[in-house]
Amino acid sequence: MKKALLLILSIVLMAGMFSSAALAQDSVSVMAVWGGQELDAFMKMVEPFEKATGIEVQYEGTRDLPTLVTTRLEAGNPPDIVALTGVGMMKQLAEEGDLVNLSNVLDMDRMNKEYSQTWIDLGTYNEDLYGMYISADVKSLVWYNPKEFAAKGYEVPETWDELKALQEEMIANGDTPWSIGLESGAASGWPGTDWIEDIMLRTTDPEVYDQWVNHEIPWTDARVKRAFEIFGEIAKDPEYTYGAPTAVLATNFGDAPNALFTDPPQAMMHRQASFITSFIRDNNPGLVAGEDYDFFPFPEIDEEYGTPVLGAASMFGMMNDTSAARAFMRYVSTAGAQSIFVSELGKLGVNKNINPNVYPDDLTRQMAAMLREAPTFRFDGSDSMPGAVGSGAFWQGILDYVSGQDLDGVLEYIESISQDTYNQ
Amino acid sequence: MFKKMNFTKIIINVFIIAFMFIWILPTIGLLVTSFRPASEVSSTGWWTVLNSPLKFTQFTIENYQQVLNQGGMAYAFRNSFIIAIFGTALPVLVAAFAAFGLAKLQFRGRAVVYTIIVGLLVVPLQLTFIPVLKIYNALNLSGTFVGVWLAHTGYGLPFAVFMLHNFFSSLPDDLFEAAYIDGASIWTSFYKLALPLSVPAIASLVIFQFLWVWNDLLVALIYLGGFQEVAPLTVKLSSLVGSYGQNWHLLTSAAFISMVVPLIIFFALQRYFVRGILAGSVKG
């Protein structure tokens, strides 16, 4: 019997030795939230790199990136490269000294030539570059069905007054202007934060927007309150938004644009970021970009502030200074690498040398132009705030407000959480 | 009297069937959804197929094809088996030794040892990630199967010891005394008496532990990482979904694919399972 036990133990040990992952080779580990097509596009992007250098790229994907990165950091084996989820995360990691200063890794002369100052600034903390951007999404977009617009004689609005007139015209015709969906599992509420951010950018200075994101003005500020009120006028009123407020709270953000393509359409317009096209295509096969669905920029509200662009972007940070990780960062900073990534996904490039021909359709080219020509660009505010506010109290506040709670109470609640969080 | 009995029986049966139905309803919904195209999943609920259940054109196996055809599925299945088989065998083996010792051997402080082990049941495993991972890094165990087996053994032991201890305690002491008089060593009475008698308890423990290890995502993600060479099925399937939650309709079919193995285990061990839960509660 003891022999049998020994046998079992030795089998266990042997199996263990064979199974140890072969990490010894020259390799670089990358951690990101991407899955599905995003992961395929990433692998396609690094394929030429692997072939040319012989360095193996080991991808680790998880939807719960911040937790995993924190755990690995504490334990002492962080991934070589991490796809940072936002400026907030980048600043936090850089402050704790967990990110490698990229100014010493990348050729900064080339970076300054190929990247606009906006993207360099957004990746910089304390005058050192920590985040390198590879693609962007534009958020200030209103989606509509051009065939319906043409059939009913609706015209694309450029100002808030034109939008208001259009809304009244739609209501008079028996149409519902907007479709909004705030449900997104544990992240429910975030589509509303994009509305508030877009409205903020159009009703105040970009500097005030930055102050708001950095909590230098309180949530109870009149300008923040006004943004919520403008959003509430639309999202809480069943005349303006399909099924408001119940359907707004219960509809998944990915399903919300479907209301534009039912027969007859349940709603006429939908404000959402550029990535929503993949949901529109998957949920409504056969629709053609530019013919069946199209976008216009979220109209200006106060003339003096124009139409700034709100966006989000993907960026890499470097956590271990190895030669393979350096080579990887240099490779993905090139227009060639990013062209592969953005063309696969319909995302927008940030490197100036990317040829517009790599984009899959005209719609994407128009978005890229909008991003390039934007007088002002601002990063998604909730992504830049500390987690407890940007992906906690702000989301909750949106849901509470839409479900009918008093606005002052909602703003005071977010403010109280902010005071606890930012002062740490 | 007879009629009344019958009446209560009917009531009980109706209740049981109703509860079973409520219990299984979400699973049926999941199954139906896994055969529907993405565009319909996003626009109508699964129950709409009940309007015309025989219209087979509304169903598709595309979701299953997409999940199975992506690269590395064979890898993921293999990894899941490697992790689950040893992650089940090790803790059950160790727990059987420990529980037998704690239940049938006389030594000082065994009540204290048993209390400490059972007390570990309330320690949340998230608490252990960072310190254990630090030790693993020092020993080069992170990213290896041995590391994740040891982790699952550690996390599974308190419950396993608790369950087997209760079962061994219910075996009559006379039996072991008789064996001792006949000249059996402790090892023989464990191997020849206790183990064969506790097959039902061990079988249900194996089911519990196997299900837990097979379905585990977090422990594997922390100690193994998401690399293709070592990632189990759960990690692989979670990467089907995009960062904004795209492709979630694929998760329905993925859930059924990963459910197949536990179902086989459960049905294979089912007759032990029922006896195991009853184990020690009644004599008969």
Side-chain angles (χ1 to χ4, degrees):
Chain A
M1 190 55 215
K2 276 178 185 149
K3 267 186 195 162
L5 201 67
L6 268 178
L7 191 73
I8 293 176
L9 280 178
S10 48
I11 290 175
V12 169
L13 275 180
M14 294 239 296
M17 281 194 287
F18 279 119
S19 56
S20 318
L23 298 174
Q25 256 189 1
D26 213 6
S27 65
V28 53
S29 59
V30 181
M31 193 187 276
V33 291
W34 300 315
Q37 292 98 325
E38 299 161 333
L39 176 54
D40 294 342
F42 173 76
M43 292 319 281
K44 218 168 242 178
M45 170 169 76
V46 298
E47 208 178 79
F49 171 75
E50 288 184 310
K51 278 202 183 124
T53 60
I55 297 170
E56 194 191 343
V57 176
Q58 297 198 310
Y59 177 80
E60 243 186 305
T62 166
R63 300 282 303 281
D64 205 4
L65 187 96
T67 317
L68 205 57
V69 168
T70 316
T71 311
R72 289 279 175 79
L73 262 177
E74 284 290 324
N77 65 333
D80 297 332
I81 306 284
V82 60
L84 301 160
T85 51
V87 178
M89 185 184 182
M90 181 197 85
K91 283 184 179 161
Q92 202 181 341
L93 290 174
E95 196 170 351
E96 284 161 14
D98 296 324
L99 289 180
V100 176
N101 179 0
L102 298 175
S103 315
N104 306 325
V105 174
L106 300 167
D107 177 358
M108 287 311 284
D109 288 338
R110 182 177 67 81
M111 288 295 286
N112 283 324
K113 225 182 282 167
E114 293 183 7
Y115 278 70
S116 74
Q117 196 57 38
T118 315
W119 296 111
I120 304 266
D121 288 346
L122 280 170
T124 302
Y125 176 71
N126 275 352
E127 292 172 24
D128 289 326
L129 186 73
Y130 289 104
M132 204 249 335
Y133 287 85
I134 59 161
S135 72
D137 286 301
V138 175
K139 295 207 166 194
S140 312
L141 306 175
V142 179
W143 298 90
Y144 67 103
N145 184 337
K147 285 180 179 161
E148 284 295 326
F149 264 50
K152 303 222 164 140
Y154 298 146
E155 284 193 18
V156 167
E158 284 180 4
T159 66
W160 204 249
D161 289 333
E162 286 177 27
L163 179 75
K164 276 188 167 162
L166 177 65
Q167 288 180 151
E168 298 309 327
E169 195 185 338
M170 286 173 174
I171 293 170
N173 278 353
D175 288 328
T176 310
W178 295 94
S179 167
I180 302 176
L182 296 179
E183 192 270 322
S184 177
S188 292
W190 71 258
T193 66
D194 288 1
W195 272 87
I196 303 291
E197 288 153 15
D198 252 337
I199 295 170
M200 278 293 281
L201 281 175
R202 281 159 178 71
T203 52
T204 61
D205 275 320
E207 284 70 34
V208 175
Y209 176 88
D210 294 339
Q211 287 167 3
W212 169 60
V213 171
N214 296 325
H215 198 235
E216 287 155 16
I217 58 170
W219 283 82
T220 44
D221 190 280
R223 290 163 291 197
V224 182
K225 191 177 173 186
R226 183 172 166 221
F228 269 82
E229 279 167 350
I230 293 175
F231 170 60
E233 276 167 23
I234 291 172
K236 292 169 72 172
D237 190 334
E239 280 210 320
Y240 286 90
T241 302
Y242 180 71
T246 318
V248 173
L249 293 167
T251 306
N252 183 271
F253 76 94
D255 295 337
N258 293 352
L260 272 55
F261 309 108
T262 52
D263 187 29
Q266 294 163 329
M268 287 290 151
M269 296 180 286
H270 179 66
R271 198 221 71 96
Q272 189 52 279
S274 45
F275 68 78
I276 201 68
T277 49
S278 70
F279 286 87
I280 294 178
R281 277 194 306 267
D282 284 353
N283 293 339
N284 309 278
L287 293 189
V288 180
E291 286 177 30
D292 296 300
Y293 61 95
D294 203 346
F295 74 88
F296 58 85
F298 196 65
E300 67 172 42
I301 298 178
D302 293 343
E303 205 185 330
E304 52 185 311
Y305 304 115
T307 53
V309 170
L310 180 76
S314 304
M315 63 172 142
F316 282 125
M318 189 169 152
M319 304 190 93
N320 291 325
D321 197 353
T322 65
S323 60
R326 281 169 171 258
F328 177 85
M329 284 307 256
R330 286 190 200 115
Y331 170 72
V332 290
S333 71
T334 60
Q338 292 173 20
S339 300
I340 303 174
F341 191 65
V342 297
S343 68
E344 288 287 322
L345 290 176
K347 280 179 181 282
L348 311 174
V350 287
N351 193 309
K352 283 186 207 159
N353 289 356
I354 289 178
N355 187 334
N357 288 335
V358 302
Y359 296 121
D361 47 43
D362 277 339
L363 220 57
T364 318
R365 270 185 281 277
Q366 287 167 27
M367 286 187 248
M370 186 176 151
L371 178 67
R372 210 169 39 238
E373 289 151 16
T376 313
F377 177 87
R378 279 296 178 274
F379 209 86
D380 186 306
S382 59
D383 286 352
S384 312
M385 295 173 188
V389 180
S391 35
F394 195 178
W395 291 348
Q396 186 59 44
I398 293 285
L399 298 177
D400 289 345
Y401 177 51
V402 172
S403 66
Q405 287 190 25
D406 171 54
L407 180 55
D408 287 321
V410 168
L411 293 176
E412 272 160 28
Y413 160 72
I414 309 178
E415 174 64 18
S416 71
I417 303 282
S418 300
Q419 283 182 354
D420 291 345
T421 313
Y422 281 87
N423 290 340
Q424 272 175 6
Chain B
M1 190 67 198
F2 179 76
K3 260 199 159 163
K4 203 180 168 192
M5 275 281 285
N6 228 349
F7 182 67
T8 31
K9 243 186 179 170
I10 290 172
I11 297 272
I12 289 172
N13 280 338
V14 166
F15 259 103
I16 290 175
I17 291 170
F19 271 105
M20 269 173 20
F21 182 72
I22 293 172
W23 204 254
I24 207 167
L25 197 64
T27 316
I28 295 174
L30 198 67
L31 182 68
V32 173
T33 304
S34 73
F35 284 105
R36 302 179 74 215
S39 53
E40 285 185 30
V41 171
S42 75
S43 53
T44 54
W46 61 269
W47 48 88
T48 46
V49 302
L50 298 179
N51 297 337
S52 49
L54 291 178
K55 201 178 116 202
F56 288 108
T57 46
Q58 66 184 330
F59 298 114
T60 168
I61 55 165
E62 199 193 326
N63 297 341
Y64 285 88
Q65 283 172 335
Q66 238 174 306
V67 172
L68 289 172
N69 284 347
Q70 55 151 347
M73 278 301 275
Y75 250 133
F77 258 107
R78 188 206 68 168
N79 293 338
S80 267
F81 270 111
I82 293 177
I83 295 168
I85 288 174
F86 288 98
T88 308
L90 277 179
V92 170
L93 194 71
V94 176
F97 289 139
F100 182 74
L102 288 168
K104 288 295 169 201
L105 302 185
Q106 304 294 332
F107 58 92
R108 276 169 70 91
R110 69 173 186 167
V112 177
V113 174
Y114 179 62
T115 313
I116 292 174
I117 292 178
V118 174
L120 287 176
L121 272 174
V122 300
V123 177
L125 64 91
Q126 288 85 345
L127 212 63
T128 64
F129 285 160
I130 291 170
V132 173
L133 199 54
K134 266 185 184 161
I135 298 171
Y136 276 15
N137 285 334
L139 298 175
N140 276 333
L141 277 177
S142 67
T144 68
F145 287 126
V146 178
V148 86
W149 294 338
L150 291 178
H152 279 305
T153 307
Y155 296 138
L157 267 184
F159 177 70
V161 170
F162 173 69
M163 185 166 165
L164 288 181
H165 178 271
N166 284 358
F167 186 81
F168 286 143
S169 300
S170 71
L171 297 176
D173 282 336
D174 307 357
L175 206 62
F176 293 93
E177 274 165 29
Y180 179 67
I181 289 166
D182 285 346
S185 66
I186 292 172
W187 174 254
T188 317
S189 57
F190 171 72
Y191 177 59
K192 288 263 164 70
L193 271 180
L195 270 193
L197 283 172
S198 60
V199 165
I202 289 180
S204 30
L205 184 61
V206 165
I207 293 178
F208 275 129
Q209 181 70 12
F210 188 89
L211 285 184
W212 151 250
V213 176
W214 185 268
N215 289 333
D216 161 75
L217 170 68
L218 191 59
V219 173
L221 202 56
I222 297 280
Y223 295 123
L224 277 176
F227 305 123
Q228 174 164 312
E229 289 81 3
V230 290
L233 208 53
T234 43
V235 174
K236 180 84 191 164
L237 294 182
S238 73
S239 75
L240 284 172
V241 182
S243 50
Y244 290 104
Q246 303 99 318
N247 294 344
W248 70 267
H249 60 278
L250 291 182
L251 286 183
T252 53
S253 50
F256 274 91
I257 290 169
S258 83
M259 231 186 257
V260 168
V261 176
L263 278 181
I264 292 173
I265 301 274
F266 182 81
F267 283 118
L269 297 179
Q270 190 192 23
R271 75 201 161 92
Y272 300 108
F273 188 59
V274 178
R275 278 166 61 193
I277 287 179
L278 288 174
S281 57
V282 279
K283 285 263 167 69

